[in-house]
């Protein structure tokens, strides 16, 4: 028995399922599982319902327990040997205690159920940056979702071979009880135990649990970065492609930017990833990025032909089987998924909990309702998507969701100023995590919920990577979400964000100068193409200037955040903060 086989045996003896099924990743298997899921009831609900196959080919609908609709950050733990290693950015329990707690929940938990064994690879198995993984789950929905999100099956078993070096993810939906729901990470053991939730980020362990929390720790040890970032290639009319990374907190615009259809003729965005990027320094000293995933787990509300035509095409493309919709509403007239933003409210609509939609003060689709779809259905998938070496990065974009303070776009002078800006960025919380929404919190590099170790060490690691890079990418900070007094978005956003990308390319190519400000470099007068937009002088001012009163308040929040990390905050960042303070007060 090799290590993979003995892990399965160990799990079988411990979890005590009625049967064990190891996934081979074949199309036939997907078809069988989809058929079975339509007959299987879990937690009082049929797992999958067939949707209108003419309009949404190969698409199925899943409704979750209403208590299980988003990531639960307060139930997520990083069980490093010491609290300091996990850092103030993580919940922590001593590993032995955590393990015992989880063992008592997991023991015999699969009695009467099937134990699915999901061998998978994050990244192209041919890539030296790829990582081998196994998830054990009792959820057929998780098994099917993982098949879309990662490279599952025979290829992964081959890649694991006789090695003992693979990630172990152990998942059970238990009885979907928030009192018995925990997502425990053991970075030192390359293992995650997740109990009591079937929701994406809590249950698809290849995603946030492995590819960010565990992988960020591995990256810290091994000299690379695991980031909550999109990867895109922006093609200009001359045919040249500039590769960007973009980090935005959950539900703050990554998927939309990753599948952007530019408004300018001759420009095109090629998609490589919409959520996670692994960054390595290449032999030539440049920063290279791969997307370890193979699917999109995207926010449904707001997705429409006008805002994101490429995603609408992706969802109606039928190449890869199946596509899943979770917790959207359903138009009962034609059996299609529906969500806010798609247009007029259909007459015969059932809401995300399956009841007739009548109370129009509440949304019909859950604000964090999502689709799970293969990247291979995406018409703008870059031909470099599967390149084992990744793509060389010229620009990194950091963003947040701020109704005030943060300008539309600003360029950082150098790598260290960029790391400072990213480490101090604030954003309003969204429906992607349970808890209050719209509260401003610091979300450095969009990684606050996902950094698997002390963020002070993480900032230092970022600075060190910059020192090793030969020609570090330019760093930009953006905010698509600025609002006016009436509470309306000032910036049209979505496809119009291509205006900002175009300016960034001009900056990278050295084609345009920039205007200095207290916080960084702004576009010079008329350098940002605003033609055809109906923006008042006052609003342009809000988008592209620094309000010192707002920034004075911002500095207080940054200081408060930094103080939690004490001496762990690198000197370069403390100096940068002092520098900003002097400029804003001066
Ligand atoms: P996660 O999958 O949670 O990591 O989210 P994400 O960062 O991929 O966010 P996504 O692109 O799915 O967008 C989240 C929400 O913000 C959706 O409802 C979008 O319609 C909306 N959104 C995205 N881009 C823009 C924009 O430029 N302007 C405005 N106003 N809304 C946007
Ligand atoms: C996010 O919340 O950032 C997501 C969805 O991308 S989840 O996979 O649930 O984390
Ligand atoms: Mn995300």
């Amino acid at each position: 028995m090799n290590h993979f086989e003995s892990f399965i045996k160990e799990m079988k003896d411990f979890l005590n399922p009625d049967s064990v099924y190891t996934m081979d990743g074949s199309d036939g298997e997907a078809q069988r599982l989809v058929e079975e899921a339509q007959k299987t009831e879990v937690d009082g609900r049929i797992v999958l319902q067939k949707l209108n196959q003419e309009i949404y080919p190969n698409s199925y609908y899943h409704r979750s327990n209403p208590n299980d609709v988003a990531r639960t950050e307060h139930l997520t733990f990083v069980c490093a040997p010491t609290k300091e290693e996990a850092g103030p950015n993580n919940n922590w329990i001593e590993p032995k205690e955590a393990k015992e707690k989880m063992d008592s929940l997991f023991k015999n938990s699969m009695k009467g159920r099937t134990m699915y064994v999901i061998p998978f690879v994050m990244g192209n198995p041919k890539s030296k940056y790829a990582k081998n993984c196994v998830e054990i789950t009792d959820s057929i929905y998780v098994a099917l979702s993982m098949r879309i999100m990662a490279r599952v099956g025979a290829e992964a078993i081959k890649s694991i071979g006789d090695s003992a070096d693979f990630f172990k993810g152990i998942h059970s939906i238990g009885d979907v009880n928030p009192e018995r729901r925990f997502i425990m990470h053991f970075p030192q053991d390359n293992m995650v135990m997740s109990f009591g939730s079937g929701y994406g980020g809590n249950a698809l362990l290849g995603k946030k649990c492995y590819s960010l929390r565990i992988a960020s720790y591995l990256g810290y040890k091994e000299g690379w970065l695991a980031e909550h970032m999109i990867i895109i290639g922006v093609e200009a009319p001359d045919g040249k492609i500039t590769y960007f990374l973009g980090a935005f907190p959950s539900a703050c615009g990554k998927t939309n930017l990753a599948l952007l259809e530019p408004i300018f003729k001759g420009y095109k965005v090629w998609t490589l990833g919409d959520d996670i990027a692994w960054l390595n320094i290449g032999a030539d000293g440049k920063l290279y990025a791969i997307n370890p995933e193979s699917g999109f787990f995207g926010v449904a509300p707001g997705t429409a032909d006008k805002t994101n035509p490429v995603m609408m095409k992706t969802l109606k493309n039928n190449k890869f089987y199946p596509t899943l919709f979770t917790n959207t509403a359903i138009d009962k007239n034609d059996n299609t998924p529906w969500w806010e933003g798609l247009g007029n409210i259909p007459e015969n609509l059932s809401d995300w909990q399956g009841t007739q939609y009548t109370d129009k003060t509440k949304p019909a689709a859950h604000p964090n309702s999502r689709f799970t779809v293969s990247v291979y259905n995406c018409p703008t998938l870059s031909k470099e998507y599967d390149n084992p070496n990744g793509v060389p990065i010229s620009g990194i974009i950091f963003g947040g969701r701020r109704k005030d303070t943060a300008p539309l776009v600003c360029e950082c002078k150098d790598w260290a100023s960029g790391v400072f800006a990213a480490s101090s960025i604030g954003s309003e919380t969204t429906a992607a995590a349970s808890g209050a929404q719209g509260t401003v919190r610091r979300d450095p590099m969009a990684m606050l919920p996902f950094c698997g170790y002390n963020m002070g060490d993480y900032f230092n690691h970022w600075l060190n990577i910059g020192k090793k890079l030969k020609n570090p990418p330019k760093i930009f900070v953006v905010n698509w979400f600025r609002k006016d007094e009436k509470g309306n978005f000032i910036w049209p956003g979505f496809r119009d964000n291509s205006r900002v990308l175009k300016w960034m390319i001009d900056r990278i190519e050295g084609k345009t100068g920039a205007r200095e400000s207290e916080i960084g470099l702004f576009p010079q007068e008329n350098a940002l193409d605003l033609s055809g937009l109906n923006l008042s002088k006052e609003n342009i001012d809000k988008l592209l200037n620094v309000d010192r009163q707002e920034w004075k308040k911002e500095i207080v929040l940054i200081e408060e955040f930094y103080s939690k990390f004490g001496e762990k905050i690198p000197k370069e960042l403390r100096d940068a903060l002092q520098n900003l303070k002097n400029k804003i007060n001066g």
Side-chain angles (χ1 to χ4, degrees), residues 132-298:
N132 295 325
C133 307
V134 181
E135 177 166 348
I136 303 289
T137 183
D138 54 12
S139 161
I140 191 169
Y141 167 76
V142 166
L144 274 164
S145 303
M146 281 299 291
R147 197 182 165 277
I148 303 167
M149 298 306 297
R151 291 146 170 103
V152 164
E155 206 185 4
I157 297 177
K158 202 173 138 217
S159 184
I160 294 167
D162 291 332
S163 164
D165 180 21
F166 55 89
F167 163 71
K168 298 183 174 87
I170 306 161
H171 171 256
S172 168
I173 58 165
D175 54 358
V176 205
N177 181 346
E179 303 287 316
R180 282 192 292 280
R181 177 175 299 158
F182 297 100
I183 302 101
M184 301 267 194
H185 300 68
F186 301 89
Q188 280 70 14
D189 299 331
N190 201 11
M191 178 177 79
V192 170
M193 299 179 90
S194 166
F195 194 90
S197 167
Y199 172 74
N202 293 339
L204 312 180
L205 301 185
K207 204 171 177 42
K208 297 311 196 322
C209 296
Y210 180 71
S211 291
L212 290 181
R213 295 196 194 92
I214 301 287
S216 62
Y217 170 78
L218 293 177
Y220 178 52
K221 296 277 145 184
E222 299 169 1
W224 54 283
L225 290 163
E227 295 296 323
H228 193 201
M229 287 177 169
I230 70 165
I231 313 169
I232 52 174
V234 185
E235 185 174 334
D238 61 6
K240 186 170 177 202
I241 299 177
T242 307
Y243 290 99
F244 286 92
L245 298 169
F248 302 78
S250 301
C252 291
K254 284 185 301 303
T255 302
N256 278 274
L257 191 63
L259 278 76
L260 183 92
E261 191 167 287
I263 57 163
F264 300 108
K265 254 207 165 133
Y267 281 82
K268 190 159 172 71
V269 167
W270 295 105
T271 308
L272 290 103
D274 84 323
D275 198 51
I276 297 176
W278 285 354
L279 316 180
N280 283 275
I281 304 173
D284 58 3
K286 285 191 196 150
L287 189 66
Y288 282 81
I290 64 157
N291 172 12
E293 300 192 283
S294 61
F296 308 131
F297 180 57

Side-chain angles (χ1 to χ4, degrees), residues 518-544:
E518 297 89 329
I519 63 167
L521 305 169
F522 281 123
Q524 285 177 334
E525 184 109 16
N526 300 325
L528 182 67
D529 189 337
L530 300 176
S531 55
L533 290 180
N534 216 349
L535 286 171
S536 67
K537 167 97 188 48
E538 191 193 341
N539 278 340
I540 295 177
D541 220 53
K542 279 203 180 116
L543 290 174
L544 293 173

Side-chain angles (χ1 to χ4, degrees), residues 14 26 35 38 70 93 104-105 126 187 202 210 228 293 315 352 381 386-387 403 425 493 510 544 546:
F14 175 52
S26 66
E35 286 310 314
Q38 290 174 86
I93 304 184
S104 70
L105 289 170
K126 291 192 189 79
N202 293 339
Y210 180 71
H228 193 201
E293 300 192 283
L315 295 173
W352 66 276
L381 187 70
D386 237 347
N387 187 330
K403 64 178 178 347
I425 205 165
L544 293 173
V546 173

